[in-house]
Amino acid sequence: MYIAVMGYGTVGSGVVDLINQNQERIARNSMQMSMDIKYILDIRDFPDSPYRDLMIKDFNIILCDPEVKIVVETMGGITFAYEFVKKLLLAGKSVVTSNKELVAKHGVELLQIADSHNVNFLFEASVGGGIPIIRPITHCLTANRICEVAGILNGTTNYILTQMIDNNTDFDTALKQAQQLGYAEANPSADVDGFDACRKICILAALCFGQHVYPEQVPTNGIRDLTLTDVECAKSLGCVIKLIADAKLRPDGRIDINVAPALIKNHSQLASVNDVFNAILVRGDALGDVLFYGRGAGKMPTASAVVADVIDAARHQLRKLYFGWEEAQPGFVAPADEQILSLFIRGKACSDAAREAIRQNDALTILPEDSLPADQIAFVTSPMARSEIESILDAIPDFEKLTTLKMTDY
Ligand code: HSE
């Protein structure tokens, strides 16, 4: 079986290495078909690579080669990935991708094209890196009505938060460490501002609840503004701070979906997910809670999921694997201000009137002030609609909100 790999970066080179390293096992698991990489597409030159003879720069060579049945897309980004993957599926080739941006933005269209051309579009590596999560949701948990999916879906931010919590390292220093270790990019925005986690929760929500969710529909907040004061407040509440992406089915059939820093109780399994590890909690009506944990990024963990998809595509050449969902219906995602939730809020209360207004409000529970600067106050709201919380905050005189953290019950 001939395959092609598009993009020879971290994940793509891991895929090539893994296929060569485990060739016998892969053949055995692919019904005795050997996997031969025929082309590696990349615009860069790799003169010292042992695979230099396979390197090409022209996508059309892959598109027009009838021997290539399965193509791996590990280029990342959208523009070329979308154009190439669409053309490949239309040409009757199965595609395996690790590209969460592509699946979150164009997944429903690409799945429909794959379906109508009797090929597979597989993306196990797009969420949770090497952690099996797409198949467990679509196969093992398929008898459940899933009511919630929540997780730590970004390794870089989890590393930064772990440094802040365990070593009292401030955000900027922890970010620099993450960059030195190669976790965070020079421009860390996709990770620290929550966009990477947002794309991943869109994919999980579509799988769990059956309709496409676009990243623009997800209120997304990252961890950039968190300080060691927030970490101390969390500790005083018996919690840790984690960047949580979650999607929850409402009684009215719509979903609430968010990416936000959140307070997790110390006894929760999610609280002990540290460093670059990811974890995904799925709540089903029959099974209850189930947690998937492991390495959410990195060359070989992600390659592990990609190559498993390649093997599955080889095994199912004439049969469509079901990983589908429908186009989004208007109103499927409930507006953020209708979400019922409890929030931790820290802010500057610059007058006695501000403190008095907060004290007088029965819906707000004030935290002890020992870990706060003198001009600040922190409190937790009772559960209520986000719009009601905003109205309460607006009515407090001289109050400047600094940090908002979601309370959770995982
Ligand atoms: N930058 C991502 C992370 C890589 O830190 O989790 C995998 O999407």
Side-chain angles (χ1 to χ4, degrees):
M1 162 88 47
Y2 284 109
I3 69 169
V5 176
M6 304 195 301
Y8 194 63
T10 305
V11 178
S13 60
V15 168
V16 173
D17 288 349
L18 188 58
I19 287 177
N20 286 296
Q21 180 184 313
N22 288 354
Q23 213 154 30
E24 254 177 53
R25 161 170 291 273
I26 290 168
R28 198 165 59 238
N29 293 342
S30 314
M31 301 184 307
Q32 302 308 331
M33 275 177 284
S34 71
M35 292 287 164
D36 294 311
I37 297 171
K38 190 163 182 184
Y39 307 112
I40 300 171
L41 179 76
D42 204 295
I43 48 169
R44 297 165 293 178
D45 292 314
F46 296 90
D48 301 326
S49 166
Y51 308 111
R52 59 187 170 276
D53 294 345
L54 308 180
M55 301 282 177
I56 56 166
K57 293 186 195 295
D58 180 1
F59 162 72
N60 288 306
I61 295 173
I62 297 173
L63 183 66
C64 299
D65 187 333
E67 280 190 332
V68 175
K69 304 284 188 215
I70 302 170
V71 181
V72 171
E73 185 276 304
T74 45
M75 299 186 297
I78 282 282
T79 318
F80 292 110
Y82 173 59
E83 181 196 326
F84 291 179
V85 168
K86 193 169 167 175
K87 283 184 175 164
L88 291 164
L89 295 171
L90 288 166
K93 298 181 195 294
S94 287
V95 175
V96 171
T97 185
S98 58
N99 186 336
K100 57 231 120 208
E101 201 176 348
L102 178 69
V103 183
K105 199 157 184 189
H106 298 291
V108 71
E109 181 195 358
L110 296 171
L111 281 161
Q112 281 165 3
I113 296 172
D115 203 26
S116 60
H117 288 74
N118 209 29
V119 289
N120 283 299
F121 175 58
L122 304 178
F123 45 90
E124 183 65 64
S126 65
V127 182
I131 306 172
I133 185 63
I134 306 290
R135 274 176 189 70
I137 289 175
T138 48
H139 291 70
C140 319
L141 300 177
T142 193
N144 284 255
R145 182 171 198 256
I146 293 174
C147 45
E148 186 158 7
V149 57
I152 296 167
L153 301 181
N154 183 268
T156 303
T157 44
N158 205 42
Y159 172 84
I160 293 170
L161 289 172
T162 305
Q163 293 306 310
M164 292 175 76
I165 295 163
D166 290 355
N167 300 331
N168 219 25
T169 310
D170 64 55
F171 173 83
D172 290 333
T173 310
L175 172 59
K176 277 196 198 98
Q177 287 172 358
Q179 285 169 324
Q180 278 157 8
L181 290 166
Y183 302 146
E185 304 285 330
N187 177 356
S189 179
D191 293 318
V192 300
D193 295 320
F195 305 129
D196 176 73
C198 169
R199 291 164 190 145
K200 293 169 180 168
I201 196 66
C202 287
I203 299 169
L204 293 179
L207 285 166
C208 291
F209 306 120
Q211 290 188 31
H212 197 98
V213 179
Y214 291 93
E216 313 77 76
Q217 296 177 288
V218 182
T220 299
N221 292 295
I223 65 163
R224 213 184 264 277
D225 297 329
L226 297 183
T227 66
L228 292 175
T229 304
D230 297 311
V231 171
E232 284 309 309
C233 289
K235 283 183 184 165
S236 75
L237 288 166
C239 295
V240 289
I241 303 173
K242 296 285 177 193
L243 182 66
I244 297 290
D246 95 315
K248 189 173 184 174
L249 190 62
R250 295 164 59 105
D252 61 13
R254 297 181 294 163
I255 62 163
D256 289 329
I257 184 164
N258 281 293
V259 176
L263 287 171
I264 307 283
K265 289 278 178 204
N266 285 334
H267 58 71
S268 162
Q269 285 181 306
L270 288 177
S272 55
V273 176
N274 288 324
D275 297 317
V276 282
F277 281 83
N278 283 195
I280 301 141
L281 180 142
V282 185
R283 198 164 266 186
D285 61 350
L287 177 66
D289 288 358
V290 57
L291 191 77
F292 299 86
Y293 169 85
R295 294 186 186 278
K299 176 172 170 164
M300 296 316 273
T302 310
S304 155
V306 173
V307 178
D309 271 349
V310 171
I311 294 170
D312 220 11
R315 283 180 186 153
H316 293 91
Q317 272 187 88
L318 301 172
R319 197 148 59 88
K320 184 74 193 57
L321 287 157
Y322 181 73
F323 288 103
W325 56 78
E326 306 290 316
E327 187 46 275
Q329 298 301 313
F332 178 56
V333 175
D337 60 7
E338 288 182 27
Q339 289 177 13
I340 308 289
L341 73 184
S342 168
L343 295 177
F344 160 95
I345 290 162
R346 177 173 68 86
K348 278 192 177 161
C350 302
S351 66
D352 289 344
R355 285 173 188 271
E356 199 48 31
I358 294 166
R359 274 197 205 101
Q360 292 294 328
N361 194 320
D362 291 342
L364 310 179
T365 305
I366 299 175
L367 266 66
E369 295 179 7
D370 10 324
S371 48
L372 290 169
D375 61 342
Q376 293 187 19
I377 191 163
F379 50 86
V380 175
T381 74
S382 303
M384 63 184 100
R386 196 188 281 272
S387 57
E388 288 178 73
I389 298 176
E390 288 305 330
S391 305
I392 288 176
L393 296 181
D394 287 347
I396 302 171
D398 310 319
F399 180 70
E400 186 195 340
K401 190 169 62 174
L402 297 173
T403 301
T404 304
L405 301 170
K406 211 176 135 185
M407 305 297 292
T408 61
D409 65 346
Y410 310 124

